[in-house]
Amino acid sequence: MLKKQIITIAFIALIGALTPSVSYAQAQGSVNQSEFVVQDIRIKGLQRISAGAVFNLLPIKVGDKFSTTQSSDLIRELYKTGFFKNIELATQDNDIVVTVIEYPSIAQIEFAGNKLIKEESLREALSGNDFVEGRVFKPNVLDQVKQELKRQYLNQGKYNAQVGTEVTELPRNRVKVTMHVKEGPSAKIKRINIVGNKYFSDKMLMKEFESADGKPFWAFWSSKDQYSREKLSGDLETLRSFYQNQGFLDFEIVSNQVSISPEKDGIFLTININEGERYSVSQFVLNGRLIVPEEELLPYVFIAPGRTYSRKDVDDTIEVIQNRLAEEGYSFAEVVPVPNIDRENNTVAFSINVKPGRRVYVRRINVVGNKLTNDEVIRRELRQTEGAAYSPSRVERSKIRLQRLSFFDEVEIETVDVAGREDQVDLEVVVKERSTGSFLFGVGFSGDDGALINASVSQANLFGTGNFLQFAVQRSDIVESVSLQYTNPYYTKSGISRTVSLSSRSIDQVRANTSAFLADTLALNVSYLFPINENNSFAIGGGFERIDLIPTFGSVPEVTDFIANSPDNDLIKLTAAFNHDTRDSLLYPTSGKNIRLSTELTAPGSDLEFYQINLDSSYYYPFTRKAALKLGLDIGYGDGYGDTEGLPFFENYFAGGSRSVRGFEARSLGPRDSSQFPRPFGGAKRVLFNASLLLPVGDGGLDKRLQLFVDGGQVFANDQSIETDDIRFSAGIGFNWISPVGPLSISYAVPLNEEEGDEIEKFQFSVGTLIQ
């Protein structure tokens, strides 16, 4: 018996030697007690962990038989939890006493010195090692964490990065861990060597890379020569795509080596490639269940016999066929191109297998996030309806229509599978509302109108109905106005909109850079907008306008003579307009176009009879996700009819200034009056051109955009023909910002063909007016 007990104690001692800080002891008086029935189990030393949690982990309970041979099993089970750095087990009479020392918990993790990699990314790296706040702190895991952070920096080319740790003990057995980072300089790419290329030069291939060995001296902000593993992986994939799009079906990257200079500040990249042979397409066939007739699908196939093989053409073919089938409700169709490669003749034939699957329908549409906006306002904009076949294009169009309401900061439409139904989905329209009511008071300046003071109370989503109401007051050096406007965008359920407006306006042209006169106008107008389809609409309107004209001391004869005959005028105005709008945004467009053709006519019998026809168009062509080229054309023509000869002078067109031809003073282009120092008089014809490169600046948001522009335009009198030689052009740079105090526009333009007598104003600035 004694021999057996000695062997048991020796075994426990061996376990204790192999398992750090674990021990077993018997209380005095129970050395000879090798087996007994447990009457009680006591746990000592617990701080954060509950005794009940430990009891659940023990392989023995009160009432069980316990022998010293079970001690190692009991200790091992507790040790496996990872909660304890020291465990002692003792028996006293028929009780078991377990004394533990817990590992401390991580109360706080801080980072110092990190700039390249943000704290969120570093914390994510730590969480992969289960090293997060609230978890148990283990010194051996801390070493693993240090190595992981170093690896993160190595991936970014920081080969001299150092990571140090500081552990501060806190009350209640907690610690604060501070990670001190010394990033050091980034290793620069000294050379990129491509081996194995025959068809394309190194220079041509390097144009495809985001990485570069060196950079122009003037591109000091560029990071192309900074190495990172992620950037290299992307470049290798770009290289693979480039070759496969050029017909090299068998292209492969054999290997890539990264060498580091002894100083760890230079990187040398060697990329070994095997180009293979260039392939062409021999033929293609469409197979499978063709829901859409083959003759309709053929225009969507980009891989034509005789053309050089291109992986992009194959991918585009798959995508457009899938999109076409999705329009028929087969949203999860499979389009599988099966190549048949003839390496002897360097050709590839494709069999495109079409598997439409089941037609998918929208079971239910749920709207989430609208607290102020009525469900009806959102649902009436949706072009995807419940019960109809699911259509990605209709879902995307629904999203665009909701974004154009300007009621929401964010709009997302998510597709949710219906449990147990492969042919049904639910849509969840998730919106994040923005404030649509405002009280604005602003002071601004415009190069066209001088100092501006405006105040307005508006609600773009009145009582959540989507209706618009605004009361506005504005005063500038030239214009004083008061207006009230109410718009119901769904005056009828079919989507006909009605706008009612009442306004009073006084114009003091004495202060403008034009012929002097005063005009007071009171107007009441009603207009209706009829949607034709998603992108086209037609508007008609009518109203009454009373205009009183008053000459001033500086008025010229052509003004005073007109006013003498028609000082007070009652006009019945009729308007009509056609609008085609495919812009992706009303405030920050980057794609699409907006074409508006409108006419305004005073009805026969009015005190003055005249008409105006206007074409205002803009076209946006994106060349990156946020940058775009804008082209604009604006043509206006007016004339009198009946007893009115020519367009009345107060309706004349003007050009020049921040809203037309920048670089020239506001309203300065075109015909001039007969005064001693002739001033701009305006004309009955106007032509404006604009080409602008729109570039987002700052944080990349579209509310701040840089413009590189060319403007052109001129105004002509009624008896003048439009001569292209008379059109003035300018070029310059501008900046637009939707600032907290209103739209801000700054431009600097240089006239390109100014002539004697032109009034030049290169720098122009305005606040409170949006200039696209």
Side-chain angles (χ1 to χ4, degrees):
M1 181 69 178
L2 179 60
K3 182 178 179 181
K4 182 178 179 182
Q5 205 168 19
I6 292 173
I7 293 174
T8 301
I9 293 174
F11 177 75
I12 294 173
L14 178 61
I15 293 296
L18 297 177
T19 307
S21 303
V22 180
S23 64
Y24 165 76
Q26 283 185 314
Q28 188 174 4
S30 58
V31 174
N32 296 322
Q33 188 176 1
S34 61
E35 184 175 290
F36 58 89
V37 176
V38 179
Q39 294 183 353
D40 191 18
I41 301 175
R42 300 194 299 274
I43 311 295
K44 295 182 178 181
L46 294 177
Q47 294 183 3
R48 292 176 295 103
I49 303 170
S50 67
V54 178
F55 289 140
N56 290 332
L57 297 171
L58 292 175
I60 192 167
K61 310 296 181 185
V62 173
D64 292 346
K65 286 185 178 181
F66 175 78
S67 68
T68 53
T69 57
Q70 296 175 272
S71 299
S72 58
D73 294 335
L74 187 149
I75 292 172
R76 188 180 296 109
E77 289 299 318
L78 292 179
Y79 189 75
K80 281 165 49 177
T81 65
F83 296 150
F84 310 111
K85 64 179 179 179
N86 188 65
I87 303 173
E88 293 182 359
L89 185 146
T91 61
Q92 187 174 16
D93 298 328
N94 292 331
D95 298 342
I96 296 176
V97 180
V98 181
T99 304
V100 298
I101 298 178
E102 297 178 357
Y103 278 116
S105 64
I106 303 173
Q108 189 175 356
I109 299 176
E110 292 184 350
F111 296 88
N114 58 302
K115 296 179 181 178
L116 176 65
I117 304 180
K118 300 302 181 184
E119 183 174 321
E120 294 78 12
S121 299
L122 293 177
R123 287 186 180 275
E124 186 176 343
L126 298 187
S127 65
N129 288 272
D130 202 28
F131 197 85
V132 296
E133 293 167 349
R135 298 292 177 88
V136 172
F137 171 76
K138 298 180 182 179
N140 62 325
V141 176
L142 181 59
D143 291 336
Q144 297 174 14
V145 164
K146 288 173 59 177
Q147 296 305 315
E148 173 61 23
L149 295 186
K150 285 184 179 180
R151 189 184 68 81
Q152 294 284 329
Y153 278 99
L154 288 176
N155 289 343
Q156 299 297 324
K158 296 283 188 178
Y159 287 92
N160 287 308
Q162 299 178 16
V163 179
T165 60
E166 178 185 356
V167 179
T168 306
E169 293 186 0
L170 300 176
R172 302 191 304 278
N173 198 26
R174 299 176 303 144
V175 295
K176 179 179 79 171
V177 181
T178 304
M179 315 296 294
H180 295 281
V181 178
K182 292 183 179 180
E183 295 182 338
S186 295
K188 305 294 184 183
I189 300 175
K190 300 298 184 182
R191 181 166 180 77
I192 300 177
N193 188 29
I194 302 176
V195 180
N197 52 312
K198 300 176 183 177
Y199 287 92
F200 303 102
S201 66
D202 288 5
K203 184 177 181 181
M204 179 175 292
L205 295 178
M206 287 300 299
K207 288 181 180 179
E208 303 294 319
F209 279 32
E210 185 180 351
S211 305
D213 47 3
K215 60 186 178 183
F217 72 93
W218 46 266
F220 57 87
W221 65 85
S222 173
S223 61
K224 289 178 70 68
D225 63 344
Q226 291 184 6
Y227 168 77
S228 78
R229 186 173 299 177
E230 289 81 0
K231 191 159 60 173
L232 175 60
S233 297
D235 288 337
L236 295 178
E237 183 57 36
T238 299
L239 183 64
R240 182 178 289 106
S241 297
F242 172 79
Y243 267 97
Q244 292 194 349
N245 290 339
Q246 301 300 322
F248 294 87
L249 181 65
D250 296 326
F251 172 82
E252 64 175 337
I253 297 174
V254 179
S255 64
N256 66 89
Q257 295 91 34
V258 180
S259 302
I260 309 170
S261 65
E263 296 79 13
K264 296 184 178 181
D265 61 351
I267 299 292
F268 300 87
L269 302 178
T270 302
I271 303 170
N272 296 283
I273 65 174
N274 180 11
E275 292 179 324
E277 299 296 332
R278 176 174 269 168
Y279 286 76
S280 62
V281 178
S282 58
Q283 67 173 359
F284 73 88
V285 293
L286 289 172
N287 293 321
R289 184 181 167 210
L290 303 181
I291 298 299
V292 179
E294 183 174 353
E295 56 271 18
E296 282 192 41
L297 290 179
L298 287 178
Y300 297 101
V301 178
F302 298 106
I303 44 179
R307 292 185 60 175
T308 299
Y309 163 78
S310 169
R311 189 177 79 174
K312 183 178 184 301
D313 287 347
V314 175
D315 293 341
D316 289 347
T317 297
I318 295 172
E319 182 179 357
V320 296
I321 292 179
Q322 285 177 330
N323 290 340
R324 179 64 184 88
L325 294 175
E327 293 307 309
E328 301 297 323
Y330 298 90
S331 300
F332 303 103
E334 294 183 19
V335 179
V336 182
V338 179
N340 184 9
I341 302 173
D342 182 351
R343 287 189 165 83
E344 183 177 345
N345 297 307
N346 295 333
T347 60
V348 56
F350 282 95
S351 173
I352 302 177
N353 296 329
V354 179
K355 301 176 182 178
R358 293 188 177 184
R359 201 173 194 185
V360 179
Y361 295 86
V362 175
R363 183 188 69 165
R364 186 179 298 120
I365 299 177
N366 302 312
V367 180
V368 179
N370 57 316
K371 298 178 181 178
L372 302 175
T373 308
N374 297 340
D375 262 27
E376 177 191 3
V377 174
I378 296 174
R379 291 183 181 276
R380 68 193 184 191
E381 300 297 331
L382 301 180
R383 291 304 175 256
Q384 174 69 63
T385 58
E386 294 177 341
Y390 174 81
S391 167
S393 64
R394 287 197 291 268
V395 172
E396 181 61 23
R397 184 60 191 171
S398 299
K399 180 178 178 180
I400 291 175
R401 289 182 65 89
L402 289 174
Q403 289 172 333
R404 287 166 63 104
L405 288 177
S406 300
F407 299 165
F408 312 109
D409 283 324
E410 297 177 10
V411 177
E412 295 294 337
I413 302 181
E414 301 171 356
T415 304
V416 181
D417 293 334
V418 176
R421 297 298 302 267
E422 295 182 359
D423 60 344
Q424 288 186 343
V425 294
D426 289 342
L427 295 183
E428 194 163 272
V429 181
V430 183
V431 298
K432 181 180 179 181
E433 292 181 313
R434 66 165 58 136
S435 175
T436 56
S438 64
F439 171 75
L440 298 177
F441 178 81
V443 177
F445 178 83
S446 166
D448 294 357
D449 298 325
L452 300 170
I453 299 176
N454 57 67
S456 67
V457 179
S458 65
Q459 176 53 259
N461 189 10
L462 188 65
F463 306 123
T465 62
N467 296 347
F468 175 82
L469 178 65
Q470 182 185 59
F471 175 75
V473 179
Q474 178 178 319
R475 179 170 183 170
S476 69
D477 291 347
I478 300 170
V479 179
E480 294 181 8
S481 67
V482 179
S483 64
L484 179 67
Q485 178 181 325
Y486 176 75
T487 299
N488 184 347
Y490 277 81
Y491 179 68
T492 68
K493 290 185 178 181
S494 60
I496 297 175
S497 167
R498 183 179 74 172
T499 298
V500 180
S501 63
L502 175 66
S503 64
S504 173
R505 184 176 60 170
S506 296
I507 299 176
D508 184 354
Q509 292 293 115
V510 177
R511 300 187 181 186
N513 184 34
T514 60
S515 285
F517 68 93
L518 304 176
D520 292 331
T521 304
L522 180 65
L524 173 65
N525 293 285
V526 179
S527 62
Y528 295 87
L529 180 68
F530 300 84
I532 300 174
N533 54 36
E534 286 299 310
N535 301 317
N536 301 318
S537 61
F538 179 74
I540 58 173
F544 171 80
E545 185 174 297
R546 167 84 178 192
I547 180 167
D548 299 326
L549 302 172
I550 305 168
T552 69
F553 178 76
S555 296
V556 294
E558 48 263 53
V559 171
T560 55
D561 291 348
F562 186 98
I563 294 177
N565 293 324
S566 304
D568 305 321
N569 302 279
D570 292 334
L571 309 175
I572 302 297
K573 282 193 172 182
L574 305 175
T575 59
F578 170 79
N579 198 69
H580 175 73
D581 191 351
T582 61
R583 291 173 296 173
D584 57 343
S585 171
L586 298 183
L587 288 178
Y588 320 117
T590 58
S591 65
K593 55 190 172 184
N594 183 37
I595 302 172
R596 180 177 175 81
L597 179 64
S598 62
T599 181
E600 185 177 73
L601 170 75
T602 57
S606 298
D607 290 343
L608 297 173
E609 297 172 331
F610 61 90
Y611 63 89
Q612 288 176 289
I613 301 174
N614 298 284
L615 172 65
D616 186 7
S617 59
S618 55
Y619 307 82
Y620 296 86
Y621 302 95
F623 56 90
T624 68
R625 192 167 64 90
K626 293 184 178 180
L629 172 68
K630 177 207 170 187
L631 300 177
L633 174 63
D634 185 349
I635 300 174
Y637 176 80
D639 201 357
Y641 75 96
D643 296 331
T644 303
E645 183 178 349
L647 185 68
F649 71 89
F650 59 86
E651 294 285 351
N652 276 349
Y653 296 99
F654 292 89
S658 59
R659 285 187 287 241
S660 54
V661 186
R662 286 162 282 193
F664 295 88
E665 283 196 19
R667 307 182 183 90
S668 65
L669 297 178
R672 293 181 172 257
D673 63 21
S674 60
S675 60
Q676 182 179 0
F677 302 99
R679 305 180 71 179
F681 190 70
K685 306 170 186 175
R686 182 175 66 180
V687 178
L688 298 174
F689 308 95
N690 170 260
S692 298
L693 193 60
L694 305 176
L695 305 170
V697 295
D699 57 4
L702 295 176
D703 60 332
K704 294 182 282 292
R705 296 208 287 194
L706 190 70
Q707 287 191 25
L708 303 177
F709 62 83
V710 175
D711 291 340
Q714 187 58 280
V715 174
F716 302 90
N718 194 41
D719 56 356
Q720 287 181 304
S721 60
I722 296 177
E723 300 289 343
T724 56
D725 291 343
D726 293 332
I727 295 176
R728 301 292 191 268
F729 290 93
S730 66
I733 185 170
F735 174 71
N736 290 344
W737 177 30
I738 309 297
S739 72
V741 297
L744 179 148
S745 299
I746 303 172
S747 66
Y748 181 85
V750 177
L752 301 179
N753 60 341
E754 63 181 286
E755 295 189 7
E756 185 178 356
D758 287 345
E759 300 178 32
I760 308 303
E761 188 178 62
K762 295 182 179 180
F763 179 80
Q764 292 172 327
F765 171 79
S766 68
V767 177
T769 303
L770 179 62
I771 300 174
Q772 290 286 0

